Amino acid sequence: MVTVGPNVHLSYILEIICNKLQITNEQHVSAEEKYTAVGKWLAVSDSPLYNFQPIIFPQGSFRIGTTVKPLVNDEYDIDLVCHLQRDGTITDPMALLEAVYKRIKDNKIYEPISEKKNRCVRINYKGDFHLDILPARSDPSGSLNYLLVPDRDTQGWKASNPKGYAEWFDSVAQVRIELLEKARIEPLPQYEKLSDKLPLQQTVQLLKRWRDIAFKDKEDFAPPSIVLTTLAGNNYSKALLVVEALTEVLDGIIREMDAKTGPIVVLNPSNPKENLSEKWWEDDMGYYLFVKLLKELKQQWNDLLKA
């Protein structure tokens, strides 16, 4: 008779939770159709952007498979990049943002549902999701896939690397699949595979849902998803079960915070020019609230594991 450890049972429960947090396949297909249509509109031959060879591609949680349903009646956030590949004449970041915004507004469908944000153009599909389209140009001083994106707050450029970040996350999340399948199947033969999500992806989903709940009345201080994702990736050590992955990630983040006297710095692992945690240095109240709430989560998690 096979003895099933408590971590396997708890991991199965957590997988069920993560499965419920996902966007549906229908929503995924709808989002792909809509952003493909936007990409065609931006790049068609009569577009003012045509000569810049714009391409549009997903980034963030939609790209790395860590989307989480909004807590209340809110919309999914689908993050996209509009990379102008031939951008030699675009040196003004606000001109780039305005050019993409104007082209989108020229479409009768998008005109009433689009708005300009700090770094992106948003197209709102009410009650479902919104597309955040981030204009970008190549970074002439960086390596392959390094981008520069406009920032209205500073009226300047910000460094980024969405493709490199996704590749970093994928490489960290991957474990030996045959070992993962063995861990899933042998201890619990009736264990039904819920999705193809890896333990790191599920850990990020759980942390994002915790963030949504913990900061529900303090949204201005909530850590961005990319900060949680990067911290999780930096502290993940190939655990095969989501229970073990979440434990090691929480332990690792808290060790890192305890070793510092001020806010930790979370750099983009694919472009160290981008400080993902810059808001913590602008106003450290959000950082210390994050420390407090994360340690409370860790204590609750420890209590659950002991129960």
Side-chain angles (χ1 to χ4, degrees):
M1 181 177 178
V2 178
T3 301
V4 178
N7 282 0
V8 176
H9 282 302
L10 185 52
S11 286
Y12 183 58
I13 293 170
L14 293 177
E15 282 211 26
I16 294 173
I17 294 171
C18 290
N19 201 48
K20 296 294 185 182
L21 292 176
Q22 297 266 102
I23 64 172
T24 66
N25 183 63
E26 291 75 15
Q27 288 171 314
H28 193 282
V29 170
S30 176
E32 282 190 332
E33 289 175 347
K34 287 180 170 62
Y35 86 67
T36 299
V38 174
K40 289 180 179 178
W41 174 251
L42 293 171
V44 73
S45 60
D46 63 350
S47 167
L49 302 176
Y50 173 75
N51 289 333
F52 297 108
Q53 294 185 351
I55 57 169
I56 194 164
F57 58 88
Q59 66 162 334
S61 59
F62 190 72
R63 162 60 180 82
I64 64 176
T66 59
T67 53
V68 170
K69 288 181 181 178
L71 261 183
V72 211
N73 297 323
D74 205 350
E75 303 163 352
Y76 287 103
D77 181 9
I78 307 297
D79 293 312
L80 308 169
V81 176
C82 175
H83 178 200
L84 273 62
Q85 300 174 97
R86 295 180 61 185
D87 51 23
T89 62
I90 300 180
T91 57
D92 180 358
M94 295 303 99
L96 173 59
L97 181 60
E98 183 61 30
V100 173
Y101 177 62
K102 185 177 186 305
R103 175 57 181 169
I104 290 174
K105 294 285 282 186
D106 283 344
N107 186 297
K108 292 182 180 179
I109 296 175
Y110 305 138
E111 195 278 331
I113 59 174
S114 61
E115 60 179 317
K116 190 192 303 181
K117 307 294 285 186
N118 181 40
R119 296 185 186 180
C120 68
V121 179
R122 175 170 294 178
I123 300 178
N124 294 287
Y125 294 94
K126 294 294 185 183
D128 201 358
F129 56 80
H130 56 257
L131 304 179
D132 281 346
I133 303 165
L134 178 71
R137 59 167 297 198
S138 299
D139 183 349
S141 65
S143 59
L144 182 67
N145 291 331
Y146 275 36
L147 300 179
L148 294 174
V149 301
D151 183 83
R152 291 171 71 190
D153 284 347
T154 63
Q155 295 288 299
W157 297 105
K158 290 284 186 179
S160 189
N161 186 0
K163 285 187 176 179
Y165 185 89
E167 290 168 0
W168 165 79
F169 184 86
D170 288 345
S171 67
V172 174
Q174 287 295 328
V175 295
R176 291 177 61 190
I177 299 300
E178 64 272 17
L179 288 180
L180 182 60
E181 291 303 318
K182 183 177 180 181
R184 282 176 161 172
I185 296 170
E186 287 192 357
L188 192 60
Q190 72 272 27
Y191 181 58
E192 180 185 356
K193 185 176 179 182
L194 297 173
S195 71
D196 293 324
K197 298 293 181 191
L198 295 169
L200 179 56
Q201 291 174 303
Q202 294 169 331
T203 297
V204 171
Q205 287 180 304
L206 293 169
L207 286 175
K208 287 165 67 173
R209 172 53 87 232
W210 162 77
R211 181 269 318 271
D212 295 342
I213 296 172
F215 289 84
K216 185 178 179 182
D217 299 320
K218 316 171 192 70
E219 292 181 1
D220 290 344
F221 296 111
S225 293
I226 194 170
V227 170
L228 293 177
T229 303
T230 306
L231 287 172
N234 286 342
N235 291 283
Y236 174 64
S237 299
K238 309 298 183 185
L240 296 179
L241 295 173
V242 64
V243 167
E244 297 160 354
L246 182 57
T247 299
E248 67 184 17
V249 164
L250 290 175
D251 287 343
I253 296 173
I254 290 173
R255 276 197 304 270
E256 185 177 353
M257 295 187 304
D258 286 345
K260 299 285 186 180
T261 55
I264 59 176
V265 177
V266 184
L267 299 178
N268 184 334
S270 66
N271 186 347
K273 292 195 257 182
E274 183 178 13
N275 179 6
L276 303 174
S277 59
E278 61 183 356
K279 287 187 177 180
W280 283 343
W281 289 87
E282 295 168 0
D283 182 358
D284 61 9
M285 286 182 61
Y287 173 73
Y288 289 112
L289 180 60
F290 172 67
V291 173
K292 175 180 178 294
L293 294 176
L294 193 76
K295 288 186 174 182
E296 290 177 0
L297 171 65
K298 174 56 180 170
Q299 185 58 57
Q300 293 164 356
W301 182 242
N302 288 343
D303 293 342
L304 176 62
L305 294 178
K306 292 175 184 175

